[in-house]
Amino acid sequence: MTSQLPLPADMPLDAPTHRGDRIRVLGPGSPRLLAFIPAAFTPVCGNEVKELVQLSQRADQLGVQLLVASCDAPPTLAAWLHEVDPEAVLLGVSDHWPHGQIARACAAFDGQSGTACRHTWAIRADGTRVLAAACDAGEQRSMEHHEYGLEWAATS
């Protein structure tokens, strides 16, 4: 686990999904695992999404929603997720406009590249959150950290 102390709940923040609807990303709501990726259609991001898909059964058992967020537009996320997640178990969150608003709120925005950093936040139903995984650009987050994040998000 990257962070030991949970942060208090954020103000509610909704965003568009790759399906065209809007969902609650930050603040109180259902338990969530929010994985920021720098960009769709990149090899490391694709590998991480495939690992998150492998965790979907456990996430369902725990009642935790799996979210993948990037600064890509919803149609880009939709095309990419259709390719890397053909069973549609993940929900893509577009942080495209206002550009990087969600990533900025989570201290996960790289202003130089205009993309999200590789951070994963576990968010409980009350909105408290903890940084479950983080790594440098080009590196892949540990599946074990994502598993721990799922467990943390599911507890109250």
Side-chain angles (χ1 to χ4, degrees), residues 18-74:
H18 76 286
R19 301 179 307 211
D21 58 342
R22 294 185 70 83
I23 62 153
R24 171 73 39 89
V25 180
L26 295 177
S30 64
R32 291 146 276 171
L33 189 71
L34 174 62
F36 287 99
I37 59 163
F41 296 104
T42 59
V44 175
C45 295
N47 289 340
E48 286 185 323
V49 164
K50 289 174 184 172
E51 284 192 354
L52 286 170
V53 168
Q54 292 174 23
L55 294 176
S56 66
Q57 197 168 47
R58 181 65 180 144
D60 284 345
Q61 291 169 345
L62 294 169
V64 176
Q65 193 173 27
L66 293 174
L67 307 176
V68 177
S70 80
C71 294
D72 294 305

Side-chain angles (χ1 to χ4, degrees), residues 10 23 25 43-44 65 67 96 101 111 117 119 126 132 134 137 147:
D10 296 288
I23 62 153
V25 180
V44 175
Q65 193 173 27
L67 307 176
H96 185 66
Q101 178 183 21
C117 300
H119 291 185
D126 67 1
E147 289 171 332

Side-chain angles (χ1 to χ4, degrees), residues 122-147:
I123 305 169
R124 289 184 172 155
D126 67 1
T128 57
R129 63 183 166 97
V130 68
L131 185 61
C135 64
D136 293 329
E139 293 181 19
Q140 189 165 326
R141 286 166 278 200
S142 161
M143 192 162 157
E144 290 79 21
H145 287 152
H146 285 151
E147 289 171 332

